[in-house]
Amino acid sequence: IFLSYILVKSFKEDVMKEKYLALVNQSFVYLTLSLAFLLPVFFVPVTTEYYEFNKLALSAVITALMVVLWCVKMLIDGKFEITKAPVNLPILLLVAVYAISTYLSISKYTSVFGSYGRWNNSVIVAVICALLYFVVSVNITSKDAIKKVIFAFAGGATLSSLVVILSYAQVYVIPAAFTHFRNFSLAGSALAASGISALAVIILFSELLGCKKMIAK
């Protein structure tokens, strides 16, 4: 009887563990999809700078949530995993270089947080990008989830490009007056929208090429 009780209890614990892990993994997918789609189009017209700063804030919030979920997953699963990839060491070295240059910087505040309109050169951005890479590479591994993320990013990039094209044609889809000018872009500028679109095309082309190779095999 005691042995049966232990086996039943162990089985129930395993079932609950699998349920919690499935919920956490699903949360990773939803958060990654949200970030992939929103990054090209997200802006908040209540801050001093509407676009880049808010995209950075969005990335920081979602990355922080995923790091917390990753810690929860490790506690539930009882093990620490990290994806082995050639880019792991270069990314860590890049963050280390940012940290050293920040320590030796004359203006440490600017090096840590960046300056107005130039947040992308800060150590905060380097850390966020590194954390995002490691969290996503470990927890988004299924081909189906990866495809969804790619198409979500492509959808956001397409919407961003469409707004630029319509704005250039003086067709304004957003009612707010500050958007009623040529070259208005959800990405922050027409150049940024072009870069995002080019990246989306490259990723989609790579995915399509990979699918064709699999079919050929």
Side-chain angles (χ1 to χ4, degrees):
I1 295 173
F2 180 73
L3 182 59
S4 300
Y5 171 77
I6 295 296
L7 290 173
V8 170
K9 185 179 179 181
S10 177
F11 175 75
K12 287 182 177 179
E13 288 178 352
D14 288 340
V15 170
M16 291 301 294
K17 178 181 175 180
E18 291 300 321
K19 284 184 178 179
Y20 285 132
L21 285 175
L23 181 61
V24 170
N25 289 329
Q26 194 174 33
S27 299
F28 276 119
V29 174
Y30 286 143
L31 285 171
T32 308
L33 286 173
S34 299
L35 181 61
F37 177 77
L38 289 174
L39 204 55
V41 299
F42 183 75
F43 74 99
V44 180
V46 294
T47 53
T48 306
E49 200 276 333
Y50 294 174
Y51 307 99
E52 185 179 336
F53 176 79
N54 292 297
K55 294 179 192 298
L56 174 59
L58 175 70
S59 301
V61 170
I62 292 182
T63 300
L65 288 174
M66 288 200 288
V67 168
V68 171
L69 282 173
W70 193 17
C71 293
V72 171
K73 181 179 178 179
M74 286 188 287
L75 288 172
I76 295 172
D77 210 16
K79 59 183 178 180
F80 173 77
E81 289 183 342
I82 191 165
T83 302
K84 294 181 180 179
V87 296
N88 287 3
L89 183 58
I91 288 173
L92 291 174
L93 289 175
L94 182 61
V95 174
V97 168
Y98 266 89
I100 293 169
S101 62
T102 298
Y103 177 75
L104 299 175
S105 174
I106 298 173
S107 177
K108 288 184 171 56
Y109 182 87
T110 302
S111 297
V112 173
F113 299 102
S115 56
Y116 180 82
R118 298 188 66 184
W119 296 282
N120 59 328
N121 293 323
S122 65
V123 70
I124 290 292
V125 173
V127 171
I128 290 171
C129 291
L131 285 174
L132 183 61
Y133 161 74
F134 283 110
V135 172
V136 171
S137 64
V138 171
N139 298 287
I140 306 294
T141 55
S142 70
K143 291 182 180 180
D144 183 59
I146 293 171
K147 284 183 179 180
K148 286 179 179 178
V149 171
I150 289 173
F151 286 119
F153 178 71
T158 301
L159 180 58
S160 177
S161 299
L162 185 61
V163 169
V164 173
I165 294 169
L166 291 175
S167 296
Y168 188 77
Q170 296 184 323
V171 178
Y172 306 114
V173 295
I174 301 175
F178 71 88
T179 68
H180 294 178
F181 64 91
R182 283 192 170 188
N183 295 335
F184 168 75
S185 169
L186 297 172
S189 68
L191 181 61
S194 300
I196 290 172
S197 298
L199 179 61
V201 169
I202 292 170
I203 294 173
L204 284 172
F205 181 76
S206 300
E207 177 64 21
L208 181 62
L209 190 62
C211 290
K212 285 184 175 180
K213 285 183 178 180
M214 287 180 66
I215 293 171
K217 289 180 180 179

